[in-house]
Amino acid sequence: MTSSELWTRATADRYDAEETAMSSADVLEPTLAFLAELAEDGRALEFAIGTGRVGVPLRKRGVPVVGIELSEHMAAALRSKVDEDTLPVAIGDMATTVVAGEFTVVYLVYNTITNLLTQEEQVACFLNAARHLAPGGRFVIELGVPPLRFLPPGQVAVPFDVSEQHLGFDTFDLIEQILVSHHFTRDGDDGRYRQDASRHRYAWPAELDLMARIAGLELERRVADWNGTPFTQESTKHISVWRKPL
């Protein structure tokens, strides 16, 4: 078991409803097109597949998808959408769990590699991706750029969402590279808010490139979003693609 925090049944039950924006066609279509192009005629493996926000529609596009998911509750939510024969899911952590066969693309979306809370485990995740890739296959990660430029001296928190229904901010431990995402979500119309927090280990693109080199992978492409916008020093996230040599 890795240090990833285990998602509960309550979190899994409300996950899809709270992530409707991330499930919209505007968000999903470029993601699916990007991954389907890399998969070509092969299979795709999604680390931390969750409730299947990406994996289920990618399978509907004709790409054979297999998932690995740590939380049985999240996997149960996925299973209500698609059966095991159509989209198999192995219960386990993405750093060490092995499934059968080779894949042309292994992918991790929506900052999920940060669920691994140590550098050692994140390196193990790269090694596990390389283990599953066929020669010439790609490992894809979607990850935000740590927003440390927004931290003036003495400040430890950065807001990322301020709306009527949700207040969100991150606090940072700069020595351990740990951020804690704090969420205050309005429940119902009575003015009450639900408080949640989750820990993550942030990493810079250059650090991920070194992890990839340790795993025998080569950086092929880095863009700012799924539409292929060039990555610059002003980009707030990146889509990085590493290739396993032939």
Side-chain angles (χ1 to χ4, degrees):
M1 181 69 70
T2 67
S3 61
S4 294
E5 296 176 346
L6 193 61
W7 290 44
T8 65
R9 179 185 299 276
T11 302
D13 288 345
R14 62 175 180 260
Y15 183 84
D16 286 343
E18 293 183 348
E19 296 294 342
T20 53
M22 291 299 296
S23 299
S24 68
D26 288 344
V27 172
L28 274 182
E29 182 54 36
T31 306
L32 300 175
F34 193 106
L35 294 172
E37 180 179 2
L38 291 182
E40 298 177 333
D41 296 326
R43 300 194 303 160
L45 173 61
E46 181 170 355
F47 284 174
I49 194 170
T51 65
R53 179 183 67 88
V54 173
V56 171
L58 185 62
R59 181 66 186 89
K60 290 180 179 178
R61 287 179 78 107
V63 178
V65 177
V66 176
I68 294 175
E69 174 55 44
L70 182 61
S71 169
E72 293 187 19
H73 301 300
M74 296 290 279
L78 179 150
R79 191 55 63 225
S80 69
K81 305 171 186 177
V82 62
D83 61 63
E84 175 72 15
D85 290 337
T86 302
L87 202 166
V89 175
I91 301 299
D93 70 81
M94 56 187 165
T96 62
T97 301
V98 177
V99 298
E102 289 186 327
F103 299 84
T104 56
V105 62
V106 178
Y107 65 93
L108 257 174
V109 297
Y110 205 15
N111 304 320
T112 314
I113 194 171
T114 66
N115 290 357
L116 298 170
L117 299 179
T118 69
Q119 185 184 71
E120 180 181 9
E121 290 170 354
Q122 291 179 351
V123 170
C125 182
F126 273 81
L127 290 166
N128 200 29
R131 180 182 299 121
H132 285 91
L133 284 172
R138 277 91 169 187
F139 184 33
V140 183
I141 287 182
E142 176 188 23
L143 183 60
V145 176
L148 301 189
R149 295 171 67 188
F150 294 101
L151 284 176
Q155 181 174 315
V156 296
V158 173
F160 59 85
D161 185 35
V162 179
S163 64
E164 185 175 343
Q165 297 298 321
H166 178 256
L167 301 175
F169 61 92
D170 292 329
T171 55
F172 294 84
D173 179 336
L174 302 182
I175 296 175
E176 298 297 330
Q177 286 185 214
I178 295 293
L179 70 84
V180 180
S181 289
H182 304 265
H183 301 268
F184 295 85
T185 307
R186 184 188 293 270
D187 274 339
D189 298 322
D190 57 5
R192 292 185 300 174
Y193 280 79
R194 183 183 71 254
Q195 180 180 359
D196 299 291
S198 59
R199 295 187 303 153
H200 306 268
R201 183 187 186 273
Y202 64 84
W204 299 97
E207 185 181 5
L208 298 182
D209 289 342
L210 182 56
M211 294 181 189
R213 288 178 61 188
I214 292 171
L217 305 176
E218 303 168 346
L219 180 65
E220 181 177 72
R221 181 172 22 153
R222 174 167 291 129
V223 292
D225 55 38
W226 295 105
N227 290 307
T229 303
F231 181 75
T232 71
Q233 64 179 1
E234 303 302 326
S235 300
T236 58
K237 76 171 187 178
H238 60 97
I239 314 298
S240 295
V241 181
W242 298 274
R243 185 172 181 268
K244 184 173 183 176
L246 294 171

